[in-house]
Amino acid sequence: MAPLISNHMDRTEYAILTTIALATVGLGVFTTQQPLGTFLVESAREALSTTAAMAWVTWWALVVGFAIAGGVEAWTSGEEVSELLEGHGPREIGYGSLFGFVSSSCSYSAIATAKNLFKKGGSAAATLGAFMFASTNLVIEIGAVIWILLGWQFLVADILGGFMLIGLMAFGFVYLVPDEVVEQARQNVQEEGSETVRDPVCGMEVDPDETEYSVEHDGRTFYFCSKSCKESFDPEEANTTIRERATSLSGWKALADKQWKEWGMLWDEIAIGFVFAGLIAGFIPEAVWTSVFSGPTFGLPVYVFWTAVLGAVIGVATFVCSVGNVPFGAVLFSNGLPFGSVLSYIYADLIVPPIMDAYREYYGTKFAAMLSGMIFVAAVLTGVVIHFVFLGAGLIPSPESVQIAEVSIEADYKLVLNVFATGLFGVLYWLHRSDSVGNEGHGGHGEAAQAGD
């Protein structure tokens, strides 16, 4: 049975990232024209300043984004969606994109959920194309951070490009990947054992064959990750309306639990994204960027294409997924990576090495290679096309517009929003940790599996 991959990076991945960070500092040391001591001090100061600045300007968006995502997940009833994803037409692709958008998952959780939907009969186009991509690259929190750090043009481009990429993936699954390869991949998943289901209280993925905690209610079996979640579950909450959940303490407790789950999955990658953005901004001299992005020597189309390939390769090599990609993308754009190539970098988060290895374990080597290759090609093509569409419309922003600035806490809208966000974060954390509220009922509505699924 292929194991579920962790939502957090392991020691090997941290070691690789540490090596990349040291290489970044080393590159700066060997290319700078400044005295070594001066360079190290000034670069470290700029790195810390950039990291802190990005965290400051995006804090409120992250808190509010995770809270909204938690509310969507906690206050809307769960349902088995695989039947709605069995085809590969516009309807099924639309449903897959919608369910992905509201699921708001980290990349690791998204591929596990997509695998389950595919295993239950969903088409590869709707599950591994639309759902899996939308749940990592078209969600609320990544949109908010893109808007703040890169501008509204990038947000619009991310959405339009996202739908184009989903369309390319659907085309690939329908017309390029042989049906027998797809069915062999489905058979590989089905042979691995029972699928995981969501704990309806905390949202964690649970293996029904391994957990000791379950509840029978109204002909369904609900599975839980722990005794506390089982005891907190209130099946009657499923009959309440969204308005009732949104105006009840237990409903807000459910929101708090869901949003904390999102923080738990993504906090390390977000932090790494900020730190890497600071290191790149602080330690790589401008002369290095100028030599790499020297301009369209062989014409603009060739330049945009090869930098889009480079952007996707950087996305694969950095191991960072989802929201954590955006701060680094802002630094790349401010230093010369073209508009569309930054999108290719962001879109490549579903083919980082640990995820490609998971594809191999889930679906087999042949299908995993095709899936990873299709994502890479789709990310590059989408970046190139969106670049020229926005170039023709005159909507590509200036690199100087990117929010990479010195930290300055002033009495402006950012201070007000961050104070509000900090208060909201504190309240939600208290609700999440409060046992007394949990005993009244969580109001969660995760996936429930029929007994014997």
Side-chain angles (χ1 to χ4, degrees), residues 147-225:
W147 173 40
I148 292 171
L149 291 182
L150 288 164
W152 66 266
Q153 298 96 327
F154 266 100
L155 176 58
V156 174
D158 177 66
I159 296 172
L160 294 179
F163 285 116
M164 177 182 170
L165 188 145
I166 289 171
L168 289 173
M169 292 293 292
F171 178 88
F173 281 123
V174 174
Y175 296 106
L176 301 180
V177 180
D179 292 341
E180 57 270 21
V181 174
V182 174
E183 291 311 310
Q184 181 60 53
R186 197 188 308 275
Q187 183 178 343
N188 290 340
V189 176
Q190 290 171 344
E191 289 176 351
E192 72 168 8
S194 62
E195 68 273 3
T196 60
V197 296
R198 284 186 184 273
D199 181 323
V201 174
C202 70
M204 181 179 293
E205 294 289 331
V206 177
D207 187 335
D209 291 339
E210 295 184 2
T211 184
E212 301 176 3
Y213 309 103
S214 62
V215 169
E216 297 281 345
H217 177 75
D218 196 23
R220 292 186 294 176
T221 302
F222 295 85
Y223 298 94
F224 307 90
C225 67

Coordinates of all heavy atoms in Angstrom, one line a residue, residues 147-225:
W147 N -2.1 39.2 -5.1 CA -2.6 40.5 -5.3 C -1.7 41.5 -4.5 O -1.4 42.6 -5.1 CB -4.1 40.6 -4.8 CG -4.6 42.0 -4.8 CD1 -4.5 43.0 -5.7 CD2 -5.5 42.5 -3.8 NE1 -5.2 44.1 -5.3 CE2 -5.8 43.8 -4.2 CE3 -6.0 42.0 -2.6 CZ2 -6.6 44.6 -3.4 CZ3 -6.9 42.8 -1.9 CH2 -7.2 44.1 -2.2
I148 N -1.4 41.2 -3.3 CA -0.6 42.2 -2.5 C 0.8 42.3 -2.9 O 1.3 43.4 -3.1 CB -0.7 41.7 -1.0 CG1 -2.1 41.9 -0.5 CG2 0.3 42.5 -0.2 CD1 -2.3 41.3 0.9
L149 N 1.5 41.2 -3.2 CA 2.9 41.2 -3.5 C 3.2 41.5 -5.0 O 4.2 42.2 -5.3 CB 3.6 39.9 -3.1 CG 3.7 39.6 -1.7 CD1 4.5 38.3 -1.5 CD2 4.4 40.7 -0.9
L150 N 2.3 41.0 -5.9 CA 2.6 41.1 -7.3 C 1.7 42.1 -8.1 O 2.0 42.5 -9.2 CB 2.6 39.7 -7.9 CG 3.8 38.8 -7.6 CD1 3.5 37.4 -8.0 CD2 5.1 39.3 -8.3
G151 N 0.5 42.3 -7.5 CA -0.4 43.2 -8.1 C -1.6 42.5 -8.7 O -1.6 41.3 -9.0
W152 N -2.7 43.3 -9.0 CA -3.9 42.7 -9.5 C -3.8 42.1 -10.9 O -4.5 41.1 -11.2 CB -5.0 43.8 -9.6 CG -4.8 44.9 -10.6 CD1 -4.2 46.1 -10.4 CD2 -5.1 44.9 -12.0 NE1 -4.1 46.8 -11.5 CE2 -4.7 46.1 -12.5 CE3 -5.8 44.0 -12.8 CZ2 -4.9 46.4 -13.9 CZ3 -6.0 44.3 -14.1 CH2 -5.6 45.5 -14.7
Q153 N -2.8 42.6 -11.7 CA -2.6 42.0 -13.0 C -2.2 40.5 -12.9 O -2.6 39.7 -13.6 CB -1.5 42.8 -13.8 CG -1.9 44.2 -14.1 CD -1.3 45.2 -13.0 OE1 -1.2 44.8 -11.9 NE2 -1.0 46.4 -13.5
F154 N -1.3 40.3 -11.9 CA -0.8 38.9 -11.7 C -2.0 38.0 -11.2 O -2.1 36.8 -11.5 CB 0.3 38.9 -10.7 CG 1.7 38.8 -11.3 CD1 2.4 40.0 -11.4 CD2 2.2 37.7 -11.9 CE1 3.7 40.0 -12.0 CE2 3.5 37.7 -12.5 CZ 4.2 38.9 -12.5
L155 N -2.9 38.6 -10.4 CA -4.0 37.8 -9.9 C -4.9 37.4 -11.0 O -5.3 36.3 -11.1 CB -4.8 38.7 -8.8 CG -6.1 38.0 -8.3 CD1 -5.8 36.7 -7.7 CD2 -6.8 38.9 -7.3
V156 N -5.2 38.4 -11.9 CA -6.1 38.1 -13.0 C -5.4 37.1 -13.9 O -6.0 36.1 -14.4 CB -6.4 39.4 -13.8 CG1 -7.2 39.0 -15.1 CG2 -7.2 40.3 -13.0
A157 N -4.1 37.2 -14.1 CA -3.3 36.3 -15.0 C -3.3 34.9 -14.4 O -3.4 33.9 -15.1 CB -1.9 36.8 -15.2
D158 N -3.2 34.8 -13.0 CA -3.2 33.5 -12.4 C -4.5 32.8 -12.6 O -4.5 31.6 -12.8 CB -2.9 33.8 -10.9 CG -2.9 32.4 -10.1 OD1 -2.1 31.6 -10.3 OD2 -3.9 32.3 -9.3
I159 N -5.6 33.5 -12.5 CA -6.9 32.9 -12.7 C -7.1 32.5 -14.1 O -7.5 31.3 -14.4 CB -8.0 33.9 -12.2 CG1 -7.9 34.1 -10.7 CG2 -9.4 33.3 -12.5 CD1 -8.8 35.2 -10.2
L160 N -6.9 33.4 -15.1 CA -7.0 33.0 -16.5 C -6.1 31.9 -16.9 O -6.5 31.0 -17.6 CB -6.8 34.3 -17.3 CG -7.8 35.4 -17.2 CD1 -7.5 36.6 -18.1 CD2 -9.2 34.9 -17.5
G161 N -4.8 32.0 -16.4 CA -3.9 31.0 -16.8 C -4.2 29.7 -16.1 O -4.0 28.6 -16.7
G162 N -4.8 29.8 -14.9 CA -5.2 28.5 -14.2 C -6.2 27.8 -15.0 O -6.1 26.5 -15.2
F163 N -7.2 28.5 -15.5 CA -8.2 27.8 -16.3 C -7.6 27.3 -17.7 O -8.0 26.2 -18.2 CB -9.4 28.7 -16.6 CG -10.3 28.9 -15.4 CD1 -10.4 30.1 -14.8 CD2 -10.9 27.8 -14.9 CE1 -11.2 30.3 -13.7 CE2 -11.7 27.9 -13.7 CZ -11.9 29.2 -13.1
M164 N -6.7 28.0 -18.2 CA -6.0 27.5 -19.4 C -5.2 26.3 -19.1 O -5.3 25.3 -19.9 CB -5.1 28.6 -20.0 CG -4.3 28.1 -21.2 SD -3.1 29.4 -21.9 CE -2.2 28.3 -23.0
L165 N -4.5 26.2 -18.0 CA -3.7 25.1 -17.7 C -4.6 23.9 -17.4 O -4.3 22.7 -17.9 CB -2.9 25.3 -16.4 CG -1.8 24.3 -16.1 CD1 -0.6 24.9 -15.5 CD2 -2.4 23.3 -15.0
I166 N -5.7 24.1 -16.8 CA -6.7 23.0 -16.5 C -7.2 22.5 -17.9 O -7.4 21.2 -18.1 CB -7.9 23.5 -15.6 CG1 -7.4 23.7 -14.2 CG2 -9.0 22.5 -15.7 CD1 -8.4 24.4 -13.3
G167 N -7.5 23.4 -18.8 CA -7.9 22.9 -20.1 C -6.9 22.1 -20.9 O -7.2 21.1 -21.5
L168 N -5.6 22.5 -20.7 CA -4.5 21.8 -21.4 C -4.4 20.4 -20.7 O -4.1 19.4 -21.4 CB -3.2 22.6 -21.2 CG -3.0 23.8 -22.1 CD1 -1.8 24.6 -21.7 CD2 -3.0 23.5 -23.6
M169 N -4.5 20.3 -19.4 CA -4.4 19.0 -18.7 C -5.6 18.1 -19.2 O -5.4 16.9 -19.4 CB -4.5 19.2 -17.2 CG -3.3 19.9 -16.6 SD -1.8 18.9 -16.8 CE -2.1 17.6 -15.7
A170 N -6.8 18.7 -19.3 CA -7.9 17.9 -19.8 C -7.7 17.4 -21.2 O -7.9 16.2 -21.5 CB -9.2 18.7 -19.7
F171 N -7.2 18.3 -22.0 CA -6.9 17.9 -23.4 C -5.9 16.7 -23.4 O -6.0 15.7 -24.2 CB -6.3 19.1 -24.2 CG -5.9 18.7 -25.6 CD1 -6.9 18.8 -26.6 CD2 -4.6 18.4 -25.9 CE1 -6.5 18.5 -28.0 CE2 -4.3 18.0 -27.2 CZ -5.2 18.1 -28.3
G172 N -4.8 16.8 -22.6 CA -3.8 15.8 -22.6 C -4.3 14.5 -22.1 O -4.0 13.4 -22.7
F173 N -5.2 14.5 -21.1 CA -5.7 13.2 -20.6 C -6.7 12.6 -21.6 O -6.7 11.3 -21.7 CB -6.5 13.5 -19.2 CG -5.6 13.6 -18.0 CD1 -5.6 14.7 -17.2 CD2 -4.7 12.5 -17.7 CE1 -4.7 14.8 -16.1 CE2 -3.8 12.6 -16.6 CZ -3.9 13.8 -15.8
V174 N -7.4 13.4 -22.3 CA -8.4 12.8 -23.2 C -7.8 12.4 -24.5 O -8.1 11.3 -25.0 CB -9.5 13.9 -23.5 CG1 -10.5 13.4 -24.6 CG2 -10.3 14.2 -22.2
Y175 N -6.8 13.2 -25.1 CA -6.4 12.9 -26.4 C -4.9 12.4 -26.5 O -4.5 11.9 -27.5 CB -6.5 14.2 -27.2 CG -7.9 14.6 -27.4 CD1 -8.4 15.8 -26.8 CD2 -8.7 14.0 -28.3 CE1 -9.7 16.2 -26.9 CE2 -10.0 14.4 -28.5 CZ -10.5 15.5 -27.8 OH -11.8 15.9 -28.0
L176 N -4.1 12.5 -25.4 CA -2.7 12.2 -25.5 C -2.4 10.9 -24.7 O -1.6 10.1 -25.1 CB -1.8 13.3 -25.1 CG -2.0 14.6 -25.9 CD1 -1.0 15.7 -25.4 CD2 -1.7 14.4 -27.4
V177 N -3.0 10.8 -23.5 CA -2.7 9.7 -22.6 C -3.6 8.5 -23.0 O -4.8 8.7 -23.0 CB -2.9 10.0 -21.2 CG1 -2.6 8.8 -20.3 CG2 -2.0 11.2 -20.8
P178 N -3.0 7.4 -23.4 CA -3.9 6.2 -23.8 C -4.8 5.8 -22.7 O -4.5 5.9 -21.5 CB -2.9 5.1 -24.1 CG -1.6 5.9 -24.4 CD -1.6 7.1 -23.6
D179 N -6.0 5.4 -23.0 CA -7.0 5.0 -22.1 C -6.5 3.8 -21.2 O -6.8 3.8 -20.0 CB -8.3 4.6 -22.7 CG -9.0 5.7 -23.4 OD1 -8.8 6.9 -23.0 OD2 -9.9 5.5 -24.3
E180 N -5.7 2.9 -21.8 CA -5.3 1.8 -21.0 C -4.3 2.2 -19.9 O -4.2 1.6 -18.9 CB -4.6 0.7 -21.9 CG -3.5 1.2 -22.8 CD -3.9 1.7 -24.2 OE1 -5.1 2.1 -24.3 OE2 -3.1 1.7 -25.1
V181 N -3.5 3.3 -20.2 CA -2.6 3.8 -19.2 C -3.4 4.4 -18.0 O -3.0 4.2 -16.9 CB -1.6 4.8 -19.8 CG1 -0.7 5.5 -18.8 CG2 -0.8 4.2 -20.9
V182 N -4.4 5.2 -18.3 CA -5.2 5.8 -17.3 C -5.9 4.7 -16.4 O -5.9 4.8 -15.2 CB -6.3 6.7 -17.9 CG1 -7.3 7.2 -16.8 CG2 -5.7 7.9 -18.6
E183 N -6.4 3.7 -17.1 CA -7.1 2.6 -16.3 C -6.1 1.8 -15.5 O -6.4 1.3 -14.4 CB -7.9 1.7 -17.3 CG -9.1 2.4 -17.9 CD -10.0 3.1 -16.8 OE1 -10.3 2.5 -15.8 OE2 -10.3 4.3 -17.0
Q184 N -4.9 1.6 -16.0 CA -3.9 0.9 -15.2 C -3.5 1.7 -14.0 O -3.3 1.2 -12.9 CB -2.6 0.7 -16.1 CG -1.5 -0.1 -15.4 CD -1.9 -1.4 -14.9 OE1 -2.4 -2.3 -15.7 NE2 -1.8 -1.7 -13.6
A185 N -3.5 3.0 -14.2 CA -3.2 3.9 -13.0 C -4.3 3.8 -12.0 O -4.0 3.7 -10.8 CB -3.0 5.3 -13.5
R186 N -5.6 3.7 -12.4 CA -6.7 3.6 -11.5 C -6.6 2.3 -10.8 O -6.9 2.2 -9.6 CB -8.0 3.8 -12.3 CG -9.2 4.0 -11.3 CD -10.5 4.0 -12.1 NE -10.5 4.8 -13.3 CZ -10.8 6.1 -13.3 NH1 -11.1 6.7 -12.1 NH2 -10.9 6.8 -14.4
Q187 N -6.2 1.2 -11.5 CA -6.1 -0.1 -10.9 C -5.0 -0.1 -9.9 O -5.2 -0.7 -8.8 CB -5.8 -1.1 -12.0 CG -5.8 -2.6 -11.5 CD -5.5 -3.6 -12.6 OE1 -5.7 -3.3 -13.8 NE2 -5.1 -4.8 -12.2
N188 N -3.9 0.6 -10.2 CA -2.8 0.6 -9.2 C -3.3 1.3 -7.9 O -2.9 0.8 -6.8 CB -1.7 1.4 -9.8 CG -0.9 0.7 -10.9 OD1 -1.1 -0.5 -11.0 ND2 -0.2 1.4 -11.7
V189 N -4.1 2.3 -8.0 CA -4.6 3.0 -6.8 C -5.6 2.1 -6.1 O -5.6 2.0 -4.8 CB -5.3 4.3 -7.2 CG1 -5.9 5.0 -6.0 CG2 -4.3 5.3 -7.8
Q190 N -6.4 1.5 -6.8 CA -7.5 0.6 -6.2 C -6.8 -0.6 -5.5 O -7.4 -1.1 -4.5 CB -8.5 0.1 -7.2 CG -9.4 1.3 -7.7 CD -10.2 0.9 -8.9 OE1 -9.9 -0.2 -9.6 NE2 -11.2 1.7 -9.2
E191 N -5.7 -1.0 -6.0 CA -5.0 -2.2 -5.3 C -4.2 -1.8 -4.1 O -3.8 -2.7 -3.4 CB -4.1 -2.8 -6.3 CG -4.8 -3.6 -7.5 CD -3.9 -4.1 -8.5 OE1 -2.6 -3.8 -8.4 OE2 -4.3 -4.9 -9.4
E192 N -4.1 -0.5 -3.8 CA -3.2 -0.1 -2.7 C -4.0 -0.3 -1.4 O -3.4 -0.3 -0.3 CB -2.8 1.3 -2.8 CG -3.9 2.3 -2.6 CD -3.4 3.7 -2.5 OE1 -2.2 4.0 -2.7 OE2 -4.3 4.6 -2.1
G193 N -5.3 -0.5 -1.4 CA -6.1 -0.6 -0.2 C -7.2 0.4 -0.1 O -7.5 1.1 -1.1
S194 N -7.8 0.6 1.0 CA -9.0 1.5 1.1 C -8.5 2.9 1.1 O -7.4 3.3 1.5 CB -9.7 1.2 2.5 OG -8.8 1.5 3.5
E195 N -9.4 3.8 0.5 CA -9.1 5.2 0.4 C -9.2 5.8 1.7 O -9.9 5.3 2.6 CB -10.0 5.8 -0.6 CG -11.5 5.9 -0.2 CD -12.2 4.7 -0.6 OE1 -11.6 3.8 -1.1 OE2 -13.4 4.6 -0.3
T196 N -8.6 7.0 1.9 CA -8.7 7.8 3.1 C -10.0 8.6 3.0 O -10.5 8.8 1.9 CB -7.5 8.7 3.3 OG1 -7.5 9.6 2.2 CG2 -6.3 7.9 3.4
V197 N -10.5 9.0 4.2 CA -11.7 9.9 4.2 C -11.3 11.0 5.2 O -10.4 10.9 5.9 CB -12.9 9.2 4.7 CG1 -13.4 8.1 3.8 CG2 -12.7 8.6 6.1
R198 N -12.1 12.1 5.1 CA -11.8 13.2 6.0 C -12.5 13.0 7.4 O -13.7 12.7 7.4 CB -12.3 14.5 5.4 CG -11.4 15.0 4.3 CD -11.9 16.4 3.8 NE -11.1 16.9 2.7 CZ -10.0 17.6 2.8 NH1 -9.5 17.8 4.0 NH2 -9.4 18.0 1.7
D199 N -11.8 13.3 8.4 CA -12.4 13.4 9.7 C -13.3 14.6 9.7 O -12.9 15.7 9.4 CB -11.2 13.7 10.8 CG -11.7 13.8 12.2 OD1 -12.8 14.4 12.4 OD2 -11.0 13.3 13.1
P200 N -14.6 14.4 10.0 CA -15.6 15.5 9.8 C -15.4 16.6 10.9 O -16.1 17.6 10.7 CB -16.9 14.8 10.0 CG -16.6 13.6 10.8 CD -15.3 13.2 10.4
V201 N -14.6 16.4 11.9 CA -14.3 17.4 12.9 C -13.1 18.3 12.6 O -13.2 19.5 12.5 CB -14.2 16.8 14.3 CG1 -13.8 17.8 15.3 CG2 -15.5 16.1 14.7
C202 N -12.0 17.6 12.4 CA -10.7 18.4 12.2 C -10.3 18.5 10.7 O -9.4 19.3 10.4 CB -9.6 17.8 13.0 SG -9.0 16.2 12.4
G203 N -10.9 17.6 9.8 CA -10.5 17.7 8.4 C -9.3 16.8 8.0 O -9.0 16.8 6.9
M204 N -8.7 16.1 9.0 CA -7.5 15.3 8.7 C -7.9 14.1 7.9 O -9.0 13.5 8.0 CB -6.9 14.9 10.0 CG -5.6 14.0 9.8 SD -4.8 13.6 11.4 CE -4.3 15.2 11.9
E205 N -7.0 13.7 7.0 CA -7.3 12.5 6.2 C -7.1 11.2 7.1 O -6.1 11.1 7.8 CB -6.3 12.4 5.0 CG -6.5 13.4 4.0 CD -7.7 13.2 3.2 OE1 -8.1 12.1 3.0 OE2 -8.3 14.2 2.7
V206 N -8.1 10.3 7.1 CA -8.1 9.2 8.0 C -8.2 7.9 7.1 O -9.0 7.8 6.2 CB -9.2 9.2 9.0 CG1 -9.3 8.0 9.9 CG2 -9.1 10.5 9.8
D207 N -7.5 6.9 7.5 CA -7.6 5.6 6.8 C -8.7 4.8 7.6 O -8.5 4.4 8.8 CB -6.3 4.8 6.8 CG -6.4 3.5 6.0 OD1 -7.5 2.9 5.9 OD2 -5.3 3.0 5.6
P208 N -9.8 4.5 7.0 CA -10.9 3.7 7.7 C -10.4 2.4 8.3 O -11.0 1.9 9.3 CB -12.0 3.6 6.6 CG -11.7 4.6 5.6 CD -10.2 4.8 5.6
D209 N -9.4 1.8 7.6 CA -9.0 0.4 8.1 C -8.1 0.5 9.3 O -7.8 -0.5 9.9 CB -8.3 -0.3 6.9 CG -9.2 -0.7 5.8 OD1 -10.5 -0.8 6.1 OD2 -8.8 -0.9 4.7
E210 N -7.5 1.7 9.6 CA -6.6 1.8 10.6 C -7.1 2.6 11.8 O -6.6 2.3 13.0 CB -5.3 2.5 10.1 CG -4.6 1.7 9.0 CD -3.3 2.4 8.6 OE1 -2.9 3.5 9.1 OE2 -2.6 1.8 7.7
T211 N -8.0 3.5 11.7 CA -8.5 4.2 12.8 C -9.4 3.4 13.7 O -10.1 2.5 13.3 CB -9.3 5.5 12.3 OG1 -9.7 6.3 13.5 CG2 -10.6 5.1 11.6
E212 N -9.3 3.7 15.0 CA -10.2 3.0 16.0 C -11.4 3.7 16.3 O -12.3 3.2 17.1 CB -9.4 2.8 17.3 CG -8.1 2.1 17.1 CD -7.3 2.0 18.4 OE1 -7.8 2.5 19.5 OE2 -6.2 1.5 18.5
Y213 N -11.6 4.9 15.7 CA -12.7 5.8 16.1 C -13.7 6.0 14.9 O -13.3 6.5 13.9 CB -12.2 7.1 16.6 CG -11.1 7.0 17.6 CD1 -9.8 7.1 17.3 CD2 -11.4 6.6 18.9 CE1 -8.8 7.0 18.2 CE2 -10.4 6.4 19.9 CZ -9.1 6.6 19.5 OH -8.1 6.4 20.4
S214 N -14.9 5.6 15.1 CA -16.0 5.7 14.1 C -17.3 5.8 14.7 O -17.5 5.4 15.9 CB -15.9 4.6 13.1 OG -16.2 3.4 13.7
V215 N -18.3 6.4 14.0 CA -19.6 6.6 14.5 C -20.6 6.2 13.4 O -20.4 6.7 12.2 CB -19.9 8.0 15.0 CG1 -21.4 8.2 15.2 CG2 -19.1 8.3 16.3
E216 N -21.6 5.5 13.7 CA -22.7 5.2 12.7 C -23.8 6.2 12.9 O -24.3 6.4 14.0 CB -23.2 3.7 12.9 CG -22.2 2.6 12.7 CD -22.0 2.3 11.2 OE1 -22.8 2.8 10.4 OE2 -21.0 1.6 10.9
H217 N -24.3 6.8 11.8 CA -25.4 7.7 11.9 C -26.1 7.8 10.6 O -25.5 8.0 9.5 CB -24.9 9.1 12.3 CG -26.0 10.1 12.4 ND1 -26.9 10.2 13.4 CD2 -26.4 11.1 11.5 CE1 -27.8 11.1 13.2 NE2 -27.5 11.7 12.0
D218 N -27.4 7.5 10.6 CA -28.3 7.7 9.5 C -27.7 6.9 8.3 O -27.7 7.4 7.1 CB -28.4 9.2 9.1 CG -29.6 9.4 8.2 OD1 -30.5 8.6 8.2 OD2 -29.6 10.5 7.5
G219 N -27.3 5.7 8.5 CA -26.8 4.9 7.4 C -25.4 5.1 6.9 O -25.0 4.5 5.9
R220 N -24.7 6.0 7.6 CA -23.4 6.4 7.2 C -22.4 6.1 8.3 O -22.8 6.1 9.5 CB -23.2 7.8 6.7 CG -24.0 8.1 5.4 CD -23.7 9.6 5.0 NE -24.3 10.5 5.9 CZ -24.1 11.9 5.8 NH1 -23.3 12.3 4.8 NH2 -24.6 12.7 6.7
T221 N -21.1 5.8 7.9 CA -20.1 5.7 8.9 C -19.1 6.9 8.8 O -18.6 7.1 7.8 CB -19.3 4.4 8.7 OG1 -20.2 3.3 8.7 CG2 -18.3 4.2 9.8
F222 N -19.0 7.5 10.0 CA -18.0 8.7 10.0 C -16.8 8.2 10.8 O -16.9 7.5 11.8 CB -18.7 9.8 10.8 CG -19.8 10.4 10.1 CD1 -21.1 9.9 10.3 CD2 -19.7 11.5 9.3 CE1 -22.2 10.4 9.6 CE2 -20.8 12.1 8.6 CZ -22.0 11.5 8.8
Y223 N -15.6 8.5 10.2 CA -14.3 8.1 10.8 C -13.6 9.3 11.4 O -13.6 10.4 10.8 CB -13.5 7.4 9.8 CG -14.1 6.1 9.2 CD1 -14.9 6.2 8.1 CD2 -14.0 4.9 9.9 CE1 -15.5 5.0 7.6 CE2 -14.6 3.8 9.4 CZ -15.3 3.8 8.2 OH -15.9 2.7 7.7
F224 N -12.8 9.1 12.5 CA -12.2 10.1 13.2 C -10.7 9.8 13.4 O -10.3 8.6 13.5 CB -12.9 10.5 14.5 CG -14.3 10.7 14.3 CD1 -15.2 9.7 14.4 CD2 -14.8 12.0 14.0 CE1 -16.6 9.9 14.2 CE2 -16.2 12.2 13.9 CZ -17.1 11.2 14.0
C225 N -9.9 10.8 13.6 CA -8.5 10.6 13.8 C -8.1 10.4 15.2 O -7.1 9.8 15.6 CB -7.7 11.8 13.3 SG -7.9 13.3 14.2

